[in-house]
Structure formats: structure tokens, C-alpha cells
Amino acid sequence: MPTPHYGQPRYRAIAQELSERIESGVIPPGALLPTESALTAEFQASRGTIRQALSALRENGLTTTEHGRGTYANPHPYEPAPTENLIREVRQREVVADIELATLFSIEVGSTLVLHESVTRSQSGVEAVSRTYRLAEGDQ
Amino acid sequence: MPTPHYGQPRYRAIAQELSERIESGVIPPGALLPTESALTAEFQASRGTIRQALSALRENGLTTTEHGRGTYANPHPYEPAPTENLIREVRQREVVADIELATLFSIEVGSTLVLHESVTRSQSGVEAVSRTYRLAEGDQ
DNA sequence: AGAAATTTGTCCGTATGTATC
DNA sequence: AGATACATACGGACAAATTTC
């Protein structure tokens, strides 16, 4: 069978259907979406097309996908940073890498990382805490 | 032949090679990148893999692709980072507040926070991991 | 602890549609 | 109209992370 895509391509229609389910609450925040193979069965599309649709959702910040686990509906569709009346406090310190960070940086657990921490406050209290980890100088 | 991808996957290596060419000026701003079929020949990779690499460049704002025309190198937009051949991955999840975070936010230990995590990669590996914590919607 | 099943990630090849030159 | 170039879609195979038994 040919593969025409008049107007809207298939993957986008699927992405739209899925995003409607998320925003309507059919798929609640934090919940797993159906697996890719389940979606291929439901939409009668190839896995590649399904993955293209899921990729679109991810780029729009609606979902998060984890290898071997699945795709989750995000608790928060977005988060524009309010840039008014904010106070930022920045400090710097050294920390030891836990398993998660060590894996990301491909270093050993217990290695030192440099941490820049930024605390953003508004009148109502702490708005956000941002932490950036980097390898210590000379370790790279 | 099988498809092993030890360490870094093929498409990412290609993406970094191309971003270096853009960064170094081998491919000047505004210029067209080689066509997908040309890249297929050069890197001895399938077109799908090439498109995956180009997609990564696009997502990182390095290039712009136009249907039927080609892929252009973007003129340096607004970049906070000095080195531009970087690839960022973003994901979002919920975490439980430890004592430190709970104190900062003035919430109870165990409360859920929304975490946006951004991993910045260069060819040498992970450059930085940035984590931003915020209160869940409705808790503020 | 270890093996199997599940699920997402990567890669290939092919075919056809659509936009541009 | 023809050639070129990117877009969409299918199918198959194997790799890697996670979960389950």
C-alpha cells in the first residue's frame, strides 16, 4: 500500500490524539503512556511512525521517555521563568558524585564535582533551586 | 552486520562532527550543509541515521532545514556558552524533597518537587548536568 | 543471583510523497 | 517536465536498560 499523507502526516495526527488524552486527563500526569508496540497496534502504524509521534510530544515538553521503562506524561507541560521581582543567590561548592551523577559523567562514585547552586526567591518564597554540576578543573 | 553502538551512537557522533564544522567555519553561517545523500555517502551511514543527526542539530538550534532546499547553518543566534558544539537533552520528572531542598522551599521532607534536568554533552562526554527544582503546580 | 521477558534505542534498506530548482 | 532534495512510512534486526520471575 502506498503512503500518502494528505494534509496532516500520520505521526502528527497520532501525536495530537495523544496530547489530547494527556491534557484531558485520560492519561493523568505522571502516568505511563501505552507502550510503543501497544500504540502500533492501536493506530495500525509502524513503530517508526509511533516513535516519531512520541518524539514530537517529547519536544513539546509533554512527555518524558526513559530507556527500558516507558514514556510518562509530564506533571508540567512547561515552565516559563518569571523574571520579575526575583532575587538570586548563587553559591559554589564541591560535592561527591552519587551513582546517578557518576554514571552520567562516566566517573567513579565518590569523585568530586563542582556544584553551582542558584536559589531564586520571590516575595512568596523560594521559586526555584537550580544546580549545575561540572567536572572539577583538570579532571577533563 | 549487526549494529553495535558502543559508547556514543553513530548519529550523535555525526552530529558532533557536523557541529564542529559549523563552529570552526568550515561550513560558514548561512551556507548549505551537504545533502542528505552526500552525507550518507561520506559517513557510510543510512539516510535514517543521517536524518537523526540533522534532527539533533536542528533541535539544538544550529541549523535550519527547508523542504526541497536543504539544511542551512544558522548564524550564531544567542548563545550563553562559549563552545557551541554541544548537544543538550532535557527531561522532566518528579522527585521527593530531601532535608536540604525541603528547608530551602520551606516545605516538608518528602514533598514532591518538579525537576527539570538538562544534560549537556560534547564530544568528550558529559559537560554539565543542570537540575532545576520547583514546587509542583498548585502547591504554591 | 541470574535468566527471561518487556520496553525503548539505534541502524539498516526500501518505497513513495512533496517541495524546490 | 525533469532532476534534486527533504518528508513520511513501512519492515526487520539487534543493542541496551529495566522489570519480572
Side-chain angles (χ1 to χ4, degrees):
Chain A
M1 186 149 66
T3 328
H5 40 277
Y6 304 111
Q8 191 169 234
R10 195 114 166 68
Y11 77 90
R12 202 173 303 167
I14 296 172
Q16 197 170 332
E17 165 65 25
L18 290 176
S19 61
E20 280 174 21
R21 289 187 197 174
I22 294 174
E23 282 164 11
S24 68
V26 175
I27 301 176
L32 276 172
L33 272 67
T35 67
E36 293 177 357
S37 68
L39 293 173
T40 58
E42 175 181 351
F43 291 102
Q44 292 289 302
S46 74
R47 192 178 160 219
T49 300
I50 296 298
R51 283 180 61 78
Q52 220 172 337
L54 291 176
S55 174
L57 295 180
R58 213 175 312 136
E59 283 174 37
N60 287 16
L62 279 121
T63 60
T64 299
T65 300
E66 293 181 17
H67 193 166
R69 270 212 243 274
T71 298
Y72 296 89
N74 275 342
H76 258 339
Y78 226 65
E79 196 73 45
T83 46
E84 28 172 300
N85 290 9
L86 298 176
I87 301 177
R88 292 179 74 139
E89 303 165 10
V90 183
R91 59 178 166 153
Q92 180 178 347
R93 56 183 158 140
E94 288 190 347
V95 296
V96 289
D98 59 13
I99 296 182
E100 201 177 339
L101 287 170
T103 303
L104 281 169
F105 282 99
S106 299
I107 58 177
E108 288 177 12
V109 175
S111 305
T112 60
L113 290 171
V114 177
L115 165 60
H116 289 260
E117 184 175 78
S118 163
V119 178
T120 305
R121 294 180 196 276
S122 69
Q123 289 116 333
S124 52
V126 172
E127 287 282 337
V129 175
S130 185
R131 292 174 174 165
T132 300
Y133 302 86
R134 293 177 200 277
L135 291 172
E137 285 299 321
D139 290 6
Q140 27 186 347
Chain B
M1 187 142 75
T3 326
H5 40 275
Y6 303 110
Q8 186 170 241
R10 196 110 163 64
Y11 78 89
R12 197 140 61 193
I14 295 173
Q16 278 170 356
E17 165 64 26
L18 290 176
S19 62
E20 279 175 29
R21 289 188 197 173
I22 295 173
E23 176 66 14
S24 68
V26 174
I27 301 176
L32 275 171
L33 271 68
T35 67
E36 292 178 356
S37 66
L39 293 172
T40 296
E42 174 182 350
F43 290 103
Q44 291 288 301
S46 77
R47 194 170 157 228
T49 300
I50 296 297
R51 284 181 59 78
Q52 222 173 336
L54 291 176
S55 176
L57 295 180
R58 211 177 313 134
E59 283 175 38
N60 283 275
L62 282 157
T63 60
T64 300
T65 300
E66 291 180 22
H67 194 164
R69 259 175 213 270
T71 297
Y72 297 88
N74 279 341
H76 280 227
Y78 50 95
E79 84 287 1
T83 54
E84 193 53 87
N85 48 338
L86 303 172
I87 294 183
R88 281 166 66 109
E89 300 164 13
V90 183
R91 71 172 189 166
Q92 180 187 83
R93 56 183 160 149
E94 285 187 344
V95 295
V96 178
D98 59 13
I99 298 181
E100 201 177 339
L101 287 170
T103 304
L104 281 169
F105 282 100
S106 300
I107 58 177
E108 288 179 11
V109 175
S111 305
T112 60
L113 290 171
V114 177
L115 165 59
H116 288 257
E117 183 177 80
S118 166
V119 178
T120 304
R121 285 190 159 89
S122 71
Q123 68 264 35
S124 55
V126 172
E127 285 282 334
V129 175
S130 184
R131 292 174 173 164
T132 299
Y133 302 86
R134 286 191 176 84
L135 291 171
E137 198 74 26
D139 291 4
Q140 35 187 350

